[in-house]
Structure formats: structure tokens, C-alpha cells
């Protein structure tokens, strides 16, 4: 019984001892100490306590340069906890307050990534956030060409465009099945004009030709047929269209 009691007391005092040792390690009466203590908690994934610590730095030492560091750390915690909307707001606020900051490339990248992470997995849902993410990824690429975040920004930008292309094709197919051929045609042509490099062009050109033929716009169909043959002649889509309409469209 004594042994069990000793073990229980030890278990109860460990958190207290950790807290004491953490407090002793840092002089929390200074901005530096308060910030470092909060950072230590963040590194231990004690996010709630860390968040409180960073807030305290902002409140107690409003003119210290550790306030900016605390603002970034708060944004990081939101991102680490996968609260991407709050992370977006925190990075956006930092970017608005400190547009010329030396880490603005990292902030812009994290802002873009926070938005990207909010995109739904399913293409039948709203993807409008992808346009916003693209803007910030492009800002990293164009405004900070030597940044270490350029490579990833380029890849995420492509991922955004691929999602938008898939969405556009999904909507085009929906309109076509509903026999709304003019609406379908507009969507197929949008893929050809805006998203031609993301893998859907043969399918979009085929859809544009079929939609054009359905609404008796043969010249429009001929134009797309010519493009299909010149750029994707070896595809199954080109074979199918040739078989069905070659004499009409040649």
C-alpha cells in the first residue's frame, strides 16, 4: 500500500515539477523569457498553454520585437492543429501588418498553404478557394524568386489548377448529360482555353465538338476538330470523333 501511495504521489507531482522547471528555465518577467517559455511549450505540443503564453507576450510587452515572433507562432499553432481557417486569418493579419517583413515570403507561402488545405477532397464541392490560394502561391513565385518556398509553391499551384480543371470537366459533363449543350460547350472551351496543360484537353475537345454539333455550330466544331487532330491525333478521343464526324468536319 505504501509503495502504491508513493507511486501515486510521484505521478501527481511530475506535472507540477515539469511546470516549475519550465518556469525556472525562463525569466517570464521579460519579453524574451516569456516568448521562449511559450516556444518551449509549443515544441512540446502543449498548444493551449503555448497559445496563452504568446498572447501574454503581446499583452505584457506590446512594443517588444517578440510580439511579431509571437504572432507568427500563434499562426503556426493553428496550422499544427489543422485549424486552417484560423491559420489563414493569422497569417493574413501578419502579412497586412508587416508587408515588408524579412520573412514575408514564408508568411505568404504559409497563407497560401492554409487556404489550400481547406479545399475539399471532392470536386463536386465548392473550389472557389483554389483561386485565392493560386494568387498567393504566384506571389511567392513572382515576388520572391530566390525564396526556398518557390519550388513547393509551383507544385501546389499546379495541384490547384488540376482541381479546377477536374471541376470544370465535371460541370461540363453534367450540363451535357442534362442536354444543356450551349452551357456544356462553354465549360469544355474554358478547359481548352485556360487549363489546356492539365490532362483534360482531349476529353474537353471531344466534348466541345459533340456539343457544337448538337446545336448546329459546325464551324465551331471544325475548329475544335482541327485542334484535336493537330495536338492529340493519337488519342482515343481523336479516333472516336474521326469515326463519327470525319466526312462532316474534314
Amino acid at each position: 500500500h505504501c509503495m502504491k501511495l508513493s507511486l501515486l504521489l510521484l505521478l501527481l507531482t511530475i506535472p507540477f515539477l515539469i511546470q516549475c522547471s519550465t518556469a525556472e528555465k525562463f525569466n517570464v518577467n521579460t519579453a524574451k523569457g516569456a516568448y521562449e517559455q511559450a516556444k518551449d511549450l509549443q515544441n512540446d505540443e502543449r498548444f493551449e498553454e503555448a497559445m496563452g503564453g504568446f498572447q501574454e507576450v503581446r499583452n505584457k510587452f506590446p512594443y517588444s520585437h517578440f510580439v511579431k515572433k509571437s504572432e507568427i507562432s500563434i499562426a503556426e499553432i493553428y496550422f499544427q492543429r489543422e485549424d486552417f481557417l484560423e491559420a489563414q486569418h493569422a497569417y493574413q493579419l501578419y502579412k497586412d501588418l508587416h508587408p515588408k517583413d524579412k520573412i514575408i515570403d514564408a508568411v505568404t507561402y504559409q497563407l497560401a498553404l492554409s487556404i489550400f488545405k481547406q479545399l475539399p477532397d471532392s470536386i463536386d464541392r465548392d473550389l472557389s478557394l483554389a483561386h485565392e490560394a493560386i494568387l498567393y502561391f504566384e506571389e511567392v513565385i513572382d515576388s520572391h524568386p530566390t525564396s526556398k518556398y518557390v519550388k513547393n509553391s509551383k507544385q501546389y499551384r499546379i495541384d490547384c489548377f488540376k482541381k479546377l480543371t477536374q471541376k470544370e470537366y465535371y460541370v461540363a459533363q453534367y450540363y451535357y448529360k442534362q442536354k444543356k449543350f450551349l452551357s456544356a460547350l462553354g465549360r469544355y472551351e474554358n478547359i481548352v482555353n485556360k487549363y489546356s496543360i492539365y490532362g483534360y484537353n482531349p476529353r474537353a475537345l471531344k466534348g466541345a465538338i459533340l456539343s457544337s454539333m448538337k446545336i448546329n455550330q459546325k464551324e465551331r466544331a471544325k475548329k475544335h476538330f482541327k485542334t484535336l487532330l493537330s495536338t492529340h491525333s493519337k488519342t482515343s478521343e481523336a479516333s472516336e470523333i474521326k469515326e463519327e464526324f470525319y466526312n462532316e468536319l474534314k
Side-chain angles (χ1 to χ4, degrees), residues 133-145:
I134 287 166
L135 282 177
Y136 289 119
F137 285 129
E138 287 182 343
E139 188 179 326
V140 175
I141 296 161
D142 298 335
S143 301
H144 311 283

Side-chain angles (χ1 to χ4, degrees), residues 85-197:
L85 181 60
E86 287 299 332
Q88 176 193 345
H89 292 158
Y91 284 119
Q92 184 73 65
L93 183 62
Y94 189 96
K95 186 172 163 60
D96 292 344
L97 290 173
H98 316 289
K100 304 288 185 196
D101 200 76
K102 63 183 179 183
I103 60 161
I104 203 67
D105 62 325
V107 172
T108 306
Y109 172 72
Q110 285 298 133
L111 169 59
L113 198 54
S114 300
I115 298 167
F116 178 83
K117 294 281 188 183
Q118 294 174 60
L119 292 174
D121 294 327
S122 174
I123 55 163
D124 60 355
R125 291 173 59 203
D126 183 19
L127 289 178
S128 55
L129 277 176
H131 296 286
E132 197 177 346
I134 287 166
L135 282 177
Y136 289 119
F137 285 129
E138 287 182 343
E139 188 179 326
V140 175
I141 296 161
D142 298 335
S143 301
H144 311 283
T146 59
S147 168
K148 68 177 183 179
Y149 299 103
V150 165
K151 187 182 174 186
N152 280 358
S153 292
K154 284 179 176 176
Q155 187 52 58
Y156 280 119
R157 180 181 172 276
I158 288 169
D159 291 344
C160 286
F161 276 123
K162 280 182 177 173
K163 282 177 181 286
L164 290 170
T165 308
Q166 290 169 345
K167 172 78 171 188
E168 200 72 351
Y169 186 72
Y170 170 84
V171 175
Q173 291 288 87
Y174 171 79
Y175 282 137
Y176 190 87
K177 285 170 189 163
Q178 298 294 314
K179 302 192 188 311
K180 295 178 179 175
F181 300 116
L182 187 60
S183 295
L185 178 57
R187 297 289 183 151
Y188 289 128
E189 288 182 336
N190 209 23
I191 294 169
V192 174
N193 296 330
K194 283 172 65 179
Y195 307 125
S196 62
I197 63 169

Side-chain angles (χ1 to χ4, degrees), residues 1-17:
H1 283 299
C2 286
M3 197 169 172
K4 279 184 184 174
L5 190 61
S6 301
L7 189 62
L8 182 63
L9 285 168
L10 181 64
L11 288 171
L12 288 170
T13 53
I14 283 171
F16 175 73
L17 291 170

